[in-house]
Amino acid sequence: MKKKLILGIESSCDETAAAVVQAGSQDSGVVFNVLSSVVFSQIDIHKKYGGVIPELAARNHILKILPVVNEAFIKAGVTEKNIEKIAVTCGPGLMTSLMVGVETAKALAYVWQKPLYGIDHIRGHIYTAWLGNGNDPVITKKDFPILALIVSGGHTELVLLKNETDFVVIGKTIDDAAGEAFDKTAKILDLGYPGGPEISKLALLGNEEIIKFPRPLLHAKNYNFSFSGLKTAVLYKVRDMVKTKNKLSKKQKSDICASFQAAVVDVLVQKTVRAALFNKCTKVILGGGVAANKKLREVLNTKLKEENIELIVPDFQLCTDNAVMIAVSSYFEKKPTGWEKASVNPGLSI
Ligand code: KG4
Ligand code: ZN
């Protein structure tokens, strides 16, 4: 089996990350081994502002990016001499954050004379599904077509994978992303940033039957999503509730969180199952930060099982942004971008 070492670098939002991944191809597919994965999260820096401040994010990426790359090498027990290529996130994401990762990777590729691959962040989230725990490939050629639901702070996309590299977006949000809806709802409820983990924690204590929030675009004859109205529905509900009582109790907040989460999960799950059945998929990939949501993982798994469809979902730490997914993604790129051409691309390039 031929084995290759890849250095991955990710800086698209508020995580500075680097990873060393080993890729080994065999007849049935490819197996990836994570030698190291280092993530410096800036959450504590942005928390007090209730969201990511782009200027601050870029400045902190600059401070952290080389120490994080260095740590990834030390943890993997390798040096730059051992790696075959470098992969870096080119977009989508925050322009100034992306620039730090891209320019660093370009300089390293130039100095070390390594091929450089510019990677789409959403493709990266999709490719986390190729990471298994054993010696057998998780995904093989016979598994296609596969459907992927990518839900993050900036994206909500249903992507049809025709084969290992040919991906088509068949549905997306027309306004807020699912993670954005979690973050904005958390802000309305004064729960802090990022909102997803806080809402899911509080939802465990609440009753999702108490408030019937809307299920936007559930019955639309397409695979698009819309979450902005849902967030507004929460805002109006909170306004009504505080009219009768000055402050919301923990129980009231918990019920809102549970009901809001149920509405998001309901729409995501129903549309994903429908798209998987229509496209005759036997496997569905779930990825992106919101894939860390336990309720979403459970309900999607149950509903897909009823249709004999398998759910592939990464470990929790690989759902949120990391550089492992960027390294894995580069394995499937036919040609390097090259340090001369690599540049930031804030849009989606699936
Ligand atoms: O993929 P990611 O780390 O960054 C982007 O590419 O945007 O996703 C971050 C998003 C945030 O909106 C965060 O609130 C959400 O993922 N998130 C969650 C959970 N953990 C993180 N949303 C719901 N439930 C969670 N447990
Ligand atoms: Zn992401």
Side-chain angles (χ1 to χ4, degrees):
M1 195 204 292
K2 201 169 168 251
K3 290 188 174 172
K4 299 170 176 183
L5 291 194
I6 308 169
L7 169 67
I9 296 177
E10 151 69 36
S11 72
S12 65
C13 189
D14 59 343
E15 264 100 18
T16 323
V20 178
V21 173
Q22 185 180 50
S25 59
Q26 53 195 60
D27 290 344
S28 49
V30 51
V31 179
F32 294 97
N33 228 324
V34 180
L35 301 194
S36 66
S37 174
V38 181
V39 180
F40 172 75
S41 168
Q42 299 181 4
I43 284 179
D44 286 343
I45 296 167
H46 299 284
K47 224 178 182 136
K48 51 181 170 293
Y49 305 104
V52 179
I53 308 292
E55 160 83 18
L56 260 187
R59 269 165 33 201
N60 283 282
H61 282 311
I62 289 173
L63 288 177
K64 283 290 170 184
I65 195 134
L66 286 176
V68 162
V69 169
N70 194 38
E71 197 181 331
F73 277 138
I74 291 168
K75 284 200 169 144
V78 300
T79 71
E80 77 280 359
K81 290 194 178 66
N82 306 107
I83 58 157
E84 196 205 23
K85 52 178 159 177
I86 301 175
V88 65
T89 308
C90 277
L94 297 173
M95 198 67 183
T96 43
S97 287
L98 288 163
M99 278 161 67
V100 179
V102 171
E103 289 309 309
T104 304
K106 279 167 77 167
L108 294 178
Y110 173 72
V111 173
W112 294 338
Q113 287 296 296
K114 306 281 179 189
L116 177 66
Y117 290 73
I119 301 297
D120 180 282
H121 182 83
I122 301 301
R123 282 181 90 93
H125 275 302
I126 294 173
Y127 279 117
T128 48
W130 268 254
L131 285 154
N133 295 320
N135 292 322
D136 292 322
V138 183
I139 290 171
T140 60
K141 290 198 166 51
K142 64 174 176 27
D143 294 323
F144 294 94
I146 298 174
L147 184 72
L149 171 67
I150 303 302
V151 270
S152 72
H155 288 269
T156 303
E157 252 112 34
L158 268 174
V159 185
L160 188 65
L161 283 53
K162 295 181 178 174
N163 55 46
E164 275 183 344
T165 53
D166 190 3
F167 300 176
V168 187
V169 177
I170 60 167
K172 59 182 191 235
T173 180
I174 58 168
D175 41 55
D176 291 352
E180 196 178 351
F182 270 95
D183 294 338
K184 287 178 175 170
T185 299
K187 210 165 191 177
I188 295 169
L189 295 172
D190 225 355
L191 294 179
Y193 176 85
E198 299 303 322
I199 290 191
S200 52
K201 246 187 271 161
L202 216 48
L204 290 173
L205 312 171
N207 180 350
E208 64 179 48
E209 308 287 336
I210 294 222
I211 308 159
K212 191 80 187 153
F213 283 124
R215 267 65 173 158
L217 296 187
L218 183 61
H219 300 293
K221 291 201 179 337
N222 57 44
Y223 300 120
N224 287 341
F225 301 97
S226 163
F227 294 109
S228 140
L230 182 54
K231 164 204 69 193
T232 312
V234 174
L235 181 68
Y236 289 161
K237 188 77 204 168
V238 170
R239 267 195 208 156
D240 289 348
M241 286 164 104
V242 288
K243 252 185 221 158
T244 47
K245 205 171 166 249
N246 258 340
K247 241 173 115 203
L248 292 184
S249 66
K250 189 167 180 186
K251 170 79 179 88
Q252 281 176 313
K253 282 193 183 182
S254 307
D255 289 339
I256 293 173
C257 287
S259 307
F260 163 81
Q261 181 177 261
V264 176
V265 169
D266 206 9
V267 179
L268 290 174
V269 170
Q270 287 205 43
K271 289 212 145 177
T272 304
V273 174
R274 218 186 290 157
L277 288 173
F278 182 79
N279 290 288
K280 300 191 171 50
C281 300
T282 54
K283 289 193 175 178
V284 166
I285 293 167
L286 176 64
V290 183
N293 186 280
K294 276 197 187 143
K295 178 89 183 172
L296 175 61
R297 291 161 89 104
E298 276 165 22
V299 180
L300 187 57
N301 193 30
T302 308
K303 296 289 174 197
L304 287 173
K305 246 191 196 152
E306 286 170 13
E307 305 293 345
N308 281 323
I309 300 171
E310 185 193 339
L311 177 66
I312 306 173
V313 57
D315 290 346
F316 283 100
Q317 74 273 18
L318 289 174
C319 289
T320 44
D321 290 348
N322 63 85
V324 173
M325 65 187 205
I326 304 305
V328 171
S329 191
S330 72
Y331 179 88
F332 297 95
E333 294 290 321
K334 284 193 187 76
K335 277 199 308 227
T337 321
W339 60 263
E340 306 89 334
K341 291 210 184 113
S343 69
V344 171
N345 174 15
L348 187 66
S349 56
I350 280 184

Short mmCIF file of all heavy atoms in Angstrom, two decimals, residues 135-193:
data_model
loop_
_atom_site.label_atom_id
_atom_site.label_comp_id
_atom_site.label_asym_id
_atom_site.label_seq_id
_atom_site.Cartn_x
_atom_site.Cartn_y
_atom_site.Cartn_z
N ASN A 135 -8.86 -0.51 9.10
CA ASN A 135 -8.01 -0.64 7.92
C ASN A 135 -8.81 -0.67 6.63
O ASN A 135 -8.24 -0.70 5.54
CB ASN A 135 -7.19 -1.92 8.01
CG ASN A 135 -6.17 -1.80 9.12
OD1 ASN A 135 -5.61 -0.73 9.32
ND2 ASN A 135 -5.98 -2.87 9.87
N ASP A 136 -10.15 -0.71 6.77
CA ASP A 136 -10.96 -0.78 5.55
C ASP A 136 -11.51 0.58 5.20
O ASP A 136 -11.89 1.36 6.08
CB ASP A 136 -12.14 -1.75 5.77
CG ASP A 136 -11.63 -3.17 5.92
OD1 ASP A 136 -10.66 -3.51 5.21
OD2 ASP A 136 -12.16 -3.89 6.78
N PRO A 137 -11.60 0.89 3.90
CA PRO A 137 -12.17 2.18 3.50
C PRO A 137 -13.62 2.29 3.95
O PRO A 137 -14.35 1.29 3.93
CB PRO A 137 -12.09 2.14 1.98
CG PRO A 137 -11.19 1.03 1.63
CD PRO A 137 -11.20 0.07 2.76
N VAL A 138 -14.04 3.47 4.39
CA VAL A 138 -15.43 3.68 4.83
C VAL A 138 -16.32 3.79 3.58
O VAL A 138 -17.44 3.32 3.56
CB VAL A 138 -15.55 4.99 5.64
CG1 VAL A 138 -16.95 5.19 6.17
CG2 VAL A 138 -14.54 5.00 6.77
N ILE A 139 -15.77 4.45 2.57
CA ILE A 139 -16.56 4.70 1.36
C ILE A 139 -15.84 4.08 0.17
O ILE A 139 -14.64 4.29 -0.04
CB ILE A 139 -16.77 6.22 1.17
CG1 ILE A 139 -17.72 6.70 2.28
CG2 ILE A 139 -17.32 6.54 -0.21
CD1 ILE A 139 -17.88 8.17 2.38
N THR A 140 -16.58 3.29 -0.58
CA THR A 140 -16.00 2.67 -1.78
C THR A 140 -16.82 3.08 -3.00
O THR A 140 -17.90 3.66 -2.87
CB THR A 140 -15.98 1.13 -1.64
OG1 THR A 140 -17.34 0.70 -1.49
CG2 THR A 140 -15.16 0.67 -0.46
N LYS A 141 -16.33 2.76 -4.16
CA LYS A 141 -16.95 3.21 -5.42
C LYS A 141 -18.41 2.78 -5.54
O LYS A 141 -19.24 3.51 -6.07
CB LYS A 141 -16.15 2.69 -6.61
CG LYS A 141 -14.79 3.39 -6.72
CD LYS A 141 -14.17 3.23 -8.08
CE LYS A 141 -13.02 4.18 -8.31
NZ LYS A 141 -11.99 4.21 -7.27
N LYS A 142 -18.73 1.59 -5.00
CA LYS A 142 -20.10 1.08 -5.16
C LYS A 142 -21.13 1.84 -4.30
O LYS A 142 -22.33 1.65 -4.45
CB LYS A 142 -20.15 -0.43 -4.89
CG LYS A 142 -19.80 -0.79 -3.48
CD LYS A 142 -20.01 -2.27 -3.23
CE LYS A 142 -19.59 -2.72 -1.86
NZ LYS A 142 -19.60 -1.81 -0.75
N ASP A 143 -20.65 2.68 -3.39
CA ASP A 143 -21.58 3.40 -2.50
C ASP A 143 -22.29 4.58 -3.17
O ASP A 143 -23.26 5.11 -2.63
CB ASP A 143 -20.83 3.93 -1.28
CG ASP A 143 -20.33 2.80 -0.41
OD1 ASP A 143 -21.04 1.79 -0.28
OD2 ASP A 143 -19.22 2.94 0.15
N PHE A 144 -21.81 5.02 -4.33
CA PHE A 144 -22.37 6.23 -4.95
C PHE A 144 -23.64 5.93 -5.72
O PHE A 144 -23.80 4.81 -6.21
CB PHE A 144 -21.31 6.88 -5.86
CG PHE A 144 -20.15 7.39 -5.06
CD1 PHE A 144 -19.02 6.61 -4.88
CD2 PHE A 144 -20.20 8.63 -4.45
CE1 PHE A 144 -17.96 7.05 -4.12
CE2 PHE A 144 -19.11 9.09 -3.69
CZ PHE A 144 -18.00 8.30 -3.53
N PRO A 145 -24.57 6.90 -5.82
CA PRO A 145 -24.52 8.27 -5.30
C PRO A 145 -24.73 8.32 -3.78
O PRO A 145 -25.45 7.51 -3.22
CB PRO A 145 -25.68 8.96 -6.03
CG PRO A 145 -26.66 7.87 -6.27
CD PRO A 145 -25.85 6.64 -6.51
N ILE A 146 -24.08 9.30 -3.18
CA ILE A 146 -24.22 9.53 -1.73
C ILE A 146 -24.75 10.95 -1.55
O ILE A 146 -24.39 11.85 -2.32
CB ILE A 146 -22.84 9.40 -1.03
CG1 ILE A 146 -22.28 7.97 -1.20
CG2 ILE A 146 -22.94 9.75 0.44
CD1 ILE A 146 -20.86 7.80 -0.65
N LEU A 147 -25.59 11.14 -0.52
CA LEU A 147 -26.09 12.49 -0.23
C LEU A 147 -25.35 13.03 0.99
O LEU A 147 -25.10 12.29 1.94
CB LEU A 147 -27.59 12.43 0.05
CG LEU A 147 -28.26 13.78 0.27
CD1 LEU A 147 -28.36 14.55 -1.04
CD2 LEU A 147 -29.66 13.60 0.87
N ALA A 148 -24.98 14.31 0.95
CA ALA A 148 -24.33 14.91 2.13
C ALA A 148 -25.14 16.11 2.60
O ALA A 148 -25.54 16.96 1.79
CB ALA A 148 -22.91 15.34 1.79
N LEU A 149 -25.41 16.16 3.91
CA LEU A 149 -26.03 17.35 4.51
C LEU A 149 -24.93 18.06 5.31
O LEU A 149 -24.42 17.52 6.29
CB LEU A 149 -27.18 16.95 5.44
CG LEU A 149 -27.76 18.10 6.27
CD1 LEU A 149 -28.47 19.14 5.39
CD2 LEU A 149 -28.74 17.58 7.33
N ILE A 150 -24.57 19.26 4.86
CA ILE A 150 -23.53 20.03 5.55
C ILE A 150 -24.19 21.22 6.23
O ILE A 150 -24.77 22.09 5.57
CB ILE A 150 -22.43 20.49 4.57
CG1 ILE A 150 -21.82 19.28 3.86
CG2 ILE A 150 -21.34 21.29 5.30
CD1 ILE A 150 -21.22 18.21 4.76
N VAL A 151 -24.12 21.22 7.55
CA VAL A 151 -24.77 22.28 8.33
C VAL A 151 -23.74 22.94 9.24
O VAL A 151 -23.23 22.31 10.16
CB VAL A 151 -25.95 21.72 9.17
CG1 VAL A 151 -27.26 21.77 8.41
CG2 VAL A 151 -25.70 20.28 9.62
N SER A 152 -23.45 24.21 8.95
CA SER A 152 -22.44 24.89 9.77
C SER A 152 -22.90 26.31 10.08
O SER A 152 -24.05 26.67 9.80
CB SER A 152 -21.11 24.91 9.02
OG SER A 152 -21.18 25.82 7.96
N GLY A 153 -21.98 27.11 10.63
CA GLY A 153 -22.33 28.48 10.98
C GLY A 153 -22.62 29.34 9.75
O GLY A 153 -23.40 30.29 9.80
N GLY A 154 -22.00 29.00 8.64
CA GLY A 154 -22.18 29.81 7.44
C GLY A 154 -22.91 29.09 6.32
O GLY A 154 -23.26 29.70 5.31
N HIS A 155 -23.16 27.79 6.47
CA HIS A 155 -23.72 27.02 5.36
C HIS A 155 -24.76 26.00 5.78
O HIS A 155 -24.69 25.45 6.87
CB HIS A 155 -22.59 26.28 4.62
CG HIS A 155 -21.75 27.22 3.83
ND1 HIS A 155 -22.00 27.52 2.53
CD2 HIS A 155 -20.69 27.96 4.20
CE1 HIS A 155 -21.12 28.40 2.12
NE2 HIS A 155 -20.32 28.70 3.12
N THR A 156 -25.70 25.78 4.86
CA THR A 156 -26.64 24.67 4.99
C THR A 156 -26.83 24.16 3.58
O THR A 156 -27.46 24.82 2.76
CB THR A 156 -28.00 25.15 5.55
OG1 THR A 156 -27.74 25.80 6.79
CG2 THR A 156 -28.97 24.01 5.77
N GLU A 157 -26.22 23.04 3.28
CA GLU A 157 -26.23 22.54 1.91
C GLU A 157 -26.55 21.07 1.84
O GLU A 157 -26.05 20.28 2.64
CB GLU A 157 -24.85 22.76 1.27
CG GLU A 157 -24.82 23.84 0.24
CD GLU A 157 -24.01 25.05 0.69
OE1 GLU A 157 -23.03 24.87 1.41
OE2 GLU A 157 -24.39 26.18 0.34
N LEU A 158 -27.39 20.72 0.86
CA LEU A 158 -27.58 19.30 0.52
C LEU A 158 -26.80 19.08 -0.76
O LEU A 158 -27.06 19.73 -1.78
CB LEU A 158 -29.06 19.01 0.30
CG LEU A 158 -29.85 18.54 1.50
CD1 LEU A 158 -31.32 18.41 1.18
CD2 LEU A 158 -29.33 17.20 2.06
N VAL A 159 -25.83 18.18 -0.69
CA VAL A 159 -24.93 17.97 -1.83
C VAL A 159 -25.03 16.52 -2.29
O VAL A 159 -24.95 15.60 -1.47
CB VAL A 159 -23.47 18.29 -1.42
CG1 VAL A 159 -22.54 18.19 -2.63
CG2 VAL A 159 -23.37 19.67 -0.80
N LEU A 160 -25.23 16.35 -3.59
CA LEU A 160 -25.28 14.99 -4.14
C LEU A 160 -23.89 14.65 -4.68
O LEU A 160 -23.35 15.35 -5.54
CB LEU A 160 -26.33 14.91 -5.26
CG LEU A 160 -26.59 13.50 -5.77
CD1 LEU A 160 -27.21 12.62 -4.68
CD2 LEU A 160 -27.52 13.53 -6.99
N LEU A 161 -23.33 13.56 -4.14
CA LEU A 161 -21.99 13.12 -4.56
C LEU A 161 -22.19 12.04 -5.62
O LEU A 161 -22.64 10.93 -5.31
CB LEU A 161 -21.22 12.54 -3.37
CG LEU A 161 -20.60 13.47 -2.34
CD1 LEU A 161 -21.58 14.47 -1.75
CD2 LEU A 161 -19.95 12.67 -1.23
N LYS A 162 -21.88 12.36 -6.86
CA LYS A 162 -22.06 11.38 -7.94
C LYS A 162 -20.96 10.32 -7.91
O LYS A 162 -21.17 9.19 -8.28
CB LYS A 162 -22.08 12.09 -9.29
CG LYS A 162 -23.26 13.02 -9.45
CD LYS A 162 -23.17 13.64 -10.81
CE LYS A 162 -24.34 14.54 -11.07
NZ LYS A 162 -24.18 15.24 -12.34
N ASN A 163 -19.79 10.76 -7.54
CA ASN A 163 -18.66 9.84 -7.33
C ASN A 163 -17.71 10.53 -6.33
O ASN A 163 -18.12 11.50 -5.68
CB ASN A 163 -17.97 9.48 -8.66
CG ASN A 163 -17.53 10.73 -9.42
OD1 ASN A 163 -16.95 11.65 -8.84
ND2 ASN A 163 -17.82 10.78 -10.71
N GLU A 164 -16.48 10.07 -6.26
CA GLU A 164 -15.55 10.61 -5.24
C GLU A 164 -15.24 12.09 -5.39
O GLU A 164 -14.81 12.73 -4.44
CB GLU A 164 -14.23 9.83 -5.31
CG GLU A 164 -14.26 8.55 -4.51
CD GLU A 164 -12.91 7.85 -4.53
OE1 GLU A 164 -12.07 8.19 -5.39
OE2 GLU A 164 -12.71 6.98 -3.69
N THR A 165 -15.43 12.64 -6.58
CA THR A 165 -15.03 14.04 -6.79
C THR A 165 -16.11 14.93 -7.42
O THR A 165 -16.02 16.15 -7.33
CB THR A 165 -13.79 14.11 -7.70
OG1 THR A 165 -14.07 13.38 -8.89
CG2 THR A 165 -12.57 13.55 -7.02
N ASP A 166 -17.11 14.32 -8.04
CA ASP A 166 -18.13 15.11 -8.74
C ASP A 166 -19.33 15.38 -7.83
O ASP A 166 -20.16 14.49 -7.60
CB ASP A 166 -18.55 14.33 -10.01
CG ASP A 166 -19.41 15.18 -10.92
OD1 ASP A 166 -19.61 16.37 -10.60
OD2 ASP A 166 -19.87 14.66 -11.95
N PHE A 167 -19.39 16.60 -7.29
CA PHE A 167 -20.42 16.95 -6.31
C PHE A 167 -21.36 18.02 -6.90
O PHE A 167 -20.89 18.97 -7.54
CB PHE A 167 -19.80 17.54 -5.03
CG PHE A 167 -18.83 16.64 -4.30
CD1 PHE A 167 -18.14 17.11 -3.19
CD2 PHE A 167 -18.61 15.33 -4.69
CE1 PHE A 167 -17.25 16.30 -2.50
CE2 PHE A 167 -17.72 14.50 -4.01
CZ PHE A 167 -17.03 15.00 -2.91
N VAL A 168 -22.68 17.89 -6.61
CA VAL A 168 -23.63 18.90 -7.07
C VAL A 168 -24.47 19.38 -5.88
O VAL A 168 -25.01 18.55 -5.14
CB VAL A 168 -24.61 18.31 -8.12
CG1 VAL A 168 -25.48 19.39 -8.71
CG2 VAL A 168 -23.88 17.56 -9.20
N VAL A 169 -24.59 20.69 -5.72
CA VAL A 169 -25.44 21.22 -4.65
C VAL A 169 -26.89 21.13 -5.13
O VAL A 169 -27.25 21.72 -6.14
CB VAL A 169 -25.07 22.70 -4.34
CG1 VAL A 169 -26.01 23.27 -3.28
CG2 VAL A 169 -23.63 22.80 -3.88
N ILE A 170 -27.73 20.37 -4.40
CA ILE A 170 -29.13 20.24 -4.84
C ILE A 170 -30.08 21.07 -3.95
O ILE A 170 -31.26 21.22 -4.27
CB ILE A 170 -29.59 18.77 -4.90
CG1 ILE A 170 -29.47 18.09 -3.53
CG2 ILE A 170 -28.81 17.99 -5.97
CD1 ILE A 170 -30.20 16.75 -3.47
N GLY A 171 -29.57 21.60 -2.86
CA GLY A 171 -30.40 22.44 -2.00
C GLY A 171 -29.52 23.26 -1.07
O GLY A 171 -28.42 22.85 -0.74
N LYS A 172 -30.03 24.45 -0.71
CA LYS A 172 -29.23 25.28 0.22
C LYS A 172 -30.16 26.28 0.91
O LYS A 172 -31.32 26.44 0.50
CB LYS A 172 -28.11 25.98 -0.52
CG LYS A 172 -28.55 26.88 -1.65
CD LYS A 172 -27.31 27.46 -2.30
CE LYS A 172 -27.71 28.51 -3.22
NZ LYS A 172 -27.47 28.70 -4.49
N THR A 173 -29.63 26.96 1.89
CA THR A 173 -30.46 27.94 2.58
C THR A 173 -30.60 29.19 1.72
O THR A 173 -29.67 29.58 1.02
CB THR A 173 -29.88 28.30 3.96
OG1 THR A 173 -30.76 29.26 4.56
CG2 THR A 173 -28.49 28.88 3.88
N ILE A 174 -31.81 29.77 1.76
CA ILE A 174 -32.00 31.00 1.00
C ILE A 174 -31.76 32.22 1.89
O ILE A 174 -31.82 33.35 1.41
CB ILE A 174 -33.40 31.04 0.35
CG1 ILE A 174 -34.50 30.91 1.41
CG2 ILE A 174 -33.55 29.96 -0.70
CD1 ILE A 174 -35.89 31.24 0.88
N ASP A 175 -31.53 32.01 3.17
CA ASP A 175 -31.20 33.14 4.06
C ASP A 175 -30.15 32.71 5.09
O ASP A 175 -29.01 32.54 4.74
CB ASP A 175 -32.46 33.75 4.69
CG ASP A 175 -33.46 32.70 5.14
OD1 ASP A 175 -33.06 31.82 5.92
OD2 ASP A 175 -34.64 32.76 4.72
N ASP A 176 -30.57 32.51 6.35
CA ASP A 176 -29.61 32.14 7.40
C ASP A 176 -29.22 30.67 7.30
O ASP A 176 -30.02 29.83 6.92
CB ASP A 176 -30.22 32.38 8.79
CG ASP A 176 -30.40 33.86 9.09
OD1 ASP A 176 -29.93 34.70 8.29
OD2 ASP A 176 -31.02 34.17 10.13
N ALA A 177 -27.99 30.38 7.71
CA ALA A 177 -27.56 28.98 7.82
C ALA A 177 -28.11 28.40 9.12
O ALA A 177 -28.49 29.15 10.03
CB ALA A 177 -26.04 28.92 7.82
N ALA A 178 -28.16 27.07 9.22
CA ALA A 178 -28.71 26.42 10.42
C ALA A 178 -27.93 26.85 11.67
O ALA A 178 -28.54 27.21 12.70
CB ALA A 178 -28.68 24.91 10.26
N GLY A 179 -26.59 26.85 11.58
CA GLY A 179 -25.78 27.23 12.74
C GLY A 179 -26.00 28.68 13.13
O GLY A 179 -26.02 29.03 14.30
N GLU A 180 -26.18 29.51 12.10
CA GLU A 180 -26.43 30.94 12.32
C GLU A 180 -27.75 31.11 13.09
O GLU A 180 -27.86 31.95 13.98
CB GLU A 180 -26.54 31.60 10.94
CG GLU A 180 -26.44 33.08 10.89
CD GLU A 180 -26.51 33.57 9.43
OE1 GLU A 180 -26.46 32.74 8.49
OE2 GLU A 180 -26.64 34.78 9.25
N ALA A 181 -28.75 30.30 12.73
CA ALA A 181 -30.05 30.36 13.42
C ALA A 181 -29.88 29.97 14.89
O ALA A 181 -30.45 30.61 15.79
CB ALA A 181 -31.05 29.43 12.74
N PHE A 182 -29.06 28.94 15.15
CA PHE A 182 -28.77 28.56 16.55
C PHE A 182 -28.10 29.72 17.26
O PHE A 182 -28.46 30.08 18.39
CB PHE A 182 -27.85 27.33 16.59
CG PHE A 182 -28.58 26.01 16.59
CD1 PHE A 182 -28.81 25.31 15.43
CD2 PHE A 182 -29.04 25.46 17.79
CE1 PHE A 182 -29.47 24.09 15.43
CE2 PHE A 182 -29.71 24.24 17.81
CZ PHE A 182 -29.93 23.55 16.63
N ASP A 183 -27.09 30.33 16.59
CA ASP A 183 -26.33 31.41 17.24
C ASP A 183 -27.21 32.64 17.51
O ASP A 183 -27.14 33.24 18.59
CB ASP A 183 -25.13 31.81 16.37
CG ASP A 183 -24.11 30.68 16.25
OD1 ASP A 183 -24.10 29.81 17.13
OD2 ASP A 183 -23.33 30.67 15.28
N LYS A 184 -28.08 32.99 16.53
CA LYS A 184 -28.93 34.18 16.71
C LYS A 184 -30.01 33.94 17.75
O LYS A 184 -30.35 34.83 18.54
CB LYS A 184 -29.55 34.58 15.37
CG LYS A 184 -28.52 35.22 14.42
CD LYS A 184 -29.14 35.57 13.09
CE LYS A 184 -28.16 36.33 12.19
NZ LYS A 184 -28.65 36.46 10.82
N THR A 185 -30.55 32.72 17.76
CA THR A 185 -31.57 32.39 18.77
C THR A 185 -30.95 32.43 20.17
O THR A 185 -31.56 32.94 21.12
CB THR A 185 -32.18 31.00 18.46
OG1 THR A 185 -32.80 31.08 17.18
CG2 THR A 185 -33.21 30.57 19.50
N ALA A 186 -29.72 31.93 20.27
CA ALA A 186 -29.04 31.96 21.57
C ALA A 186 -28.84 33.40 22.04
O ALA A 186 -28.94 33.71 23.22
CB ALA A 186 -27.69 31.25 21.47
N LYS A 187 -28.57 34.28 21.09
CA LYS A 187 -28.36 35.70 21.41
C LYS A 187 -29.65 36.29 21.96
O LYS A 187 -29.65 37.02 22.96
CB LYS A 187 -27.93 36.44 20.15
CG LYS A 187 -27.03 37.61 20.43
CD LYS A 187 -26.36 38.09 19.16
CE LYS A 187 -25.27 39.08 19.47
NZ LYS A 187 -24.55 39.51 18.30
N ILE A 188 -30.79 35.97 21.30
CA ILE A 188 -32.10 36.47 21.76
C ILE A 188 -32.34 36.01 23.20
O ILE A 188 -32.87 36.73 24.03
CB ILE A 188 -33.23 35.94 20.83
CG1 ILE A 188 -33.09 36.52 19.42
CG2 ILE A 188 -34.62 36.25 21.42
CD1 ILE A 188 -33.99 35.86 18.38
N LEU A 189 -31.91 34.78 23.50
CA LEU A 189 -32.16 34.22 24.83
C LEU A 189 -31.03 34.52 25.81
O LEU A 189 -31.03 34.02 26.94
CB LEU A 189 -32.34 32.70 24.72
CG LEU A 189 -33.57 32.22 23.93
CD1 LEU A 189 -33.51 30.71 23.72
CD2 LEU A 189 -34.85 32.61 24.64
N ASP A 190 -30.04 35.31 25.35
CA ASP A 190 -28.93 35.68 26.22
C ASP A 190 -28.12 34.48 26.70
O ASP A 190 -27.78 34.37 27.88
CB ASP A 190 -29.50 36.43 27.45
CG ASP A 190 -28.68 37.67 27.75
OD1 ASP A 190 -27.67 37.86 27.07
OD2 ASP A 190 -29.06 38.42 28.67
N LEU A 191 -27.82 33.58 25.78
CA LEU A 191 -27.15 32.33 26.18
C LEU A 191 -25.67 32.30 25.83
O LEU A 191 -25.00 31.31 26.09
CB LEU A 191 -27.84 31.14 25.51
CG LEU A 191 -29.28 30.86 25.92
CD1 LEU A 191 -29.82 29.67 25.16
CD2 LEU A 191 -29.35 30.60 27.42
N GLY A 192 -25.17 33.33 25.19
CA GLY A 192 -23.74 33.34 24.86
C GLY A 192 -23.43 32.74 23.51
O GLY A 192 -24.30 32.21 22.82
N TYR A 193 -22.13 32.82 23.14
CA TYR A 193 -21.66 32.38 21.82
C TYR A 193 -20.63 31.28 21.97
O TYR A 193 -19.81 31.36 22.88
CB TYR A 193 -21.05 33.58 21.06
CG TYR A 193 -20.46 33.20 19.74
CD1 TYR A 193 -21.27 33.13 18.61
CD2 TYR A 193 -19.10 32.86 19.63
CE1 TYR A 193 -20.73 32.74 17.40
CE2 TYR A 193 -18.58 32.48 18.41
CZ TYR A 193 -19.39 32.42 17.31
OH TYR A 193 -18.88 32.02 16.11
#
